[in-house]
Amino acid sequence: MKKSYSDKDKGVLSLILLAFIFASMGIFARYLNEEFTVLQQTYLRVFVAFVLGLIIFYKSIHFKKLKQITFKEWSVLIFRSITYYLIGVTFISEAFITATYSNATVISVLPITAVFGFIFLKEKITHAKIFYIILGFMGVILIAVKDYSHIFAWGHGEIFALFASIFFALSWIARRWHSNLLNNQEIAIIIFFISSILLFVTSLLFQEGLPSISSYTNFMILIIVIAALFNVANLFFTNYGFQKLQAVLAGNLLMLEVLFALLIGMAFYGEFPTLIEFLGGVLIVFSAYRMNKINE
């Protein structure tokens, strides 16, 4: 008999996949930084994501709904476009370029989402939830921090990462403020469209101009397309996961980003984890598992 999965199970899987995608974001930002500014590379990734999303999700998109979108719904869509892409993705890209990868990763998974879930979504606070949030973040520290003497030595890259984590969390919890009119695919497509315009206009306002034609090498085009595909998956999994799960559980699952970054380093660069890093991974997985159990 084929096993059926609940919406919560699918939500958990969506957030685990999202954590994996987030682990790769800094790689794309650093490659594209060779030819494009942060704003340029972000609007290129998002616009291509919009085009690819139209192709991938075309069966789930109903354009007639555009006439039915209320002012409140447009407000949430614009708010999420600003917080997620104009600020969140732009700032975290700058952080990955200017700060160490480990510092940007640690700050990006601070448990801000859980705090906002308690404050804005009125999710129930328990001692167990707080304990597993702290336990998971201890695992993050064990994996990502290489020099404990400089853990609090912040430059502007670390500050960008902090602001990015705050605005990401705002966009994530705002998923719960959408009405039931639009499905997750439609929400993603509209946010891509709004975000690409906002990013492009902001880039022009900063007098960056248009990227040089010579910047569009075959390699750079390939990176943009792959990054855009990751963005399509990123926003869809975000919409689905935060629709189905409490913010405190979702935020805890996203700490797996650091573990995935460790596994990527092992698979592609032969960077095998130390005993301390392995222990950190165990703490993150155990924390996510137990948080899932107490939210059943």
Side-chain angles (χ1 to χ4, degrees):
M1 181 180 295
K2 186 176 180 180
K3 183 179 179 180
S4 60
Y5 293 92
S6 67
D7 284 347
K8 183 185 174 183
D9 292 334
K10 295 175 184 177
V12 168
L13 178 60
S14 295
L15 269 298
I16 292 173
L17 293 172
L18 180 62
F20 172 76
I21 292 169
F22 262 106
S24 68
M25 283 183 63
I27 298 173
F28 296 123
R30 289 187 171 187
Y31 271 122
L32 293 172
N33 187 57
E34 296 177 10
E35 297 290 344
F36 306 100
T37 69
V38 169
L39 284 169
Q40 287 172 344
Q41 64 162 275
T42 307
Y43 71 64
L44 287 170
R45 284 183 284 167
V46 175
F47 180 73
V48 176
F50 167 70
V51 175
L52 293 175
L54 286 174
I55 297 170
I56 295 169
F57 298 141
Y58 77 97
K59 289 185 178 180
S60 301
I61 300 172
H62 305 88
F63 291 100
K64 63 182 180 181
K65 290 183 182 180
L66 289 172
K67 296 181 180 180
Q68 305 172 40
I69 300 177
T70 64
F71 176 79
K72 179 183 177 181
E73 187 72 14
W74 277 118
S75 299
V76 176
L77 289 165
I78 294 171
F79 175 79
R80 293 191 64 207
S81 298
I82 292 171
T83 52
Y84 199 87
Y85 280 105
L86 184 61
I87 301 177
V89 172
T90 302
F91 279 27
I92 198 63
S93 297
E94 180 69 21
F96 277 121
I97 292 168
T98 58
T100 63
Y101 210 95
S102 60
N103 281 7
T105 301
V106 169
I107 297 167
S108 69
V109 296
L110 285 169
I112 297 171
T113 305
V115 173
F116 284 173
F118 295 142
I119 296 172
F120 295 111
L121 302 179
K122 308 301 180 184
E123 294 181 354
K124 185 178 180 181
I125 303 174
T126 66
H127 290 101
K129 288 179 180 179
I130 294 173
F131 173 76
Y132 290 120
I133 289 170
I134 295 173
L135 187 67
F137 193 66
M138 285 176 59
V140 169
I141 296 294
L142 290 176
I143 290 177
V145 177
K146 308 303 180 185
D147 185 357
Y148 290 92
S149 64
H150 292 88
I151 189 171
F152 295 113
W154 284 30
H156 92 273
E158 285 79 6
I159 294 172
F160 271 100
L162 176 61
F163 276 101
S165 64
I166 292 171
F167 284 95
F168 275 138
L170 286 171
S171 180
W172 289 334
I173 66 166
R175 172 62 185 89
R176 303 285 285 277
W177 300 339
H178 284 290
S179 69
N180 293 323
L181 173 64
L182 301 172
N183 59 40
N184 290 311
Q185 295 91 328
E186 291 164 341
I187 291 172
I189 292 299
I190 294 173
I191 289 178
F192 285 143
F193 180 72
I194 296 172
S195 299
S196 60
I197 294 174
L198 291 174
L199 287 159
F200 179 72
V201 171
T202 303
S203 175
L204 295 182
L205 289 175
F206 276 91
Q207 299 182 334
E208 291 184 343
L210 299 177
S212 170
I213 295 297
S214 61
S215 299
Y216 295 99
T217 63
N218 291 336
F219 178 73
M220 285 297 165
I221 292 173
L222 177 63
I223 294 297
I224 290 170
V225 172
I226 295 174
L229 281 171
F230 272 57
N231 270 272
V232 173
N234 180 326
L235 194 49
F236 174 75
F237 290 142
T238 296
N239 289 334
Y240 189 89
F242 279 87
Q243 178 190 28
K244 304 298 182 183
L245 302 179
Q246 288 189 358
V248 62
L249 171 57
N252 197 258
L253 287 168
L254 288 178
M255 289 185 187
L256 290 167
E257 173 191 346
V258 181
L259 177 59
F260 283 127
L262 184 69
L263 295 176
I264 289 172
M266 183 175 64
F268 291 96
Y269 305 110
E271 299 173 352
F272 290 92
T274 64
L275 181 61
I276 293 295
E277 291 171 335
F278 178 78
L279 176 60
V282 171
L283 290 180
I284 293 172
V285 173
F286 178 74
S287 170
Y289 172 76
R290 289 302 305 166
M291 183 71 82
N292 185 46
K293 286 295 182 183
I294 65 176
N295 277 275
E296 287 183 345

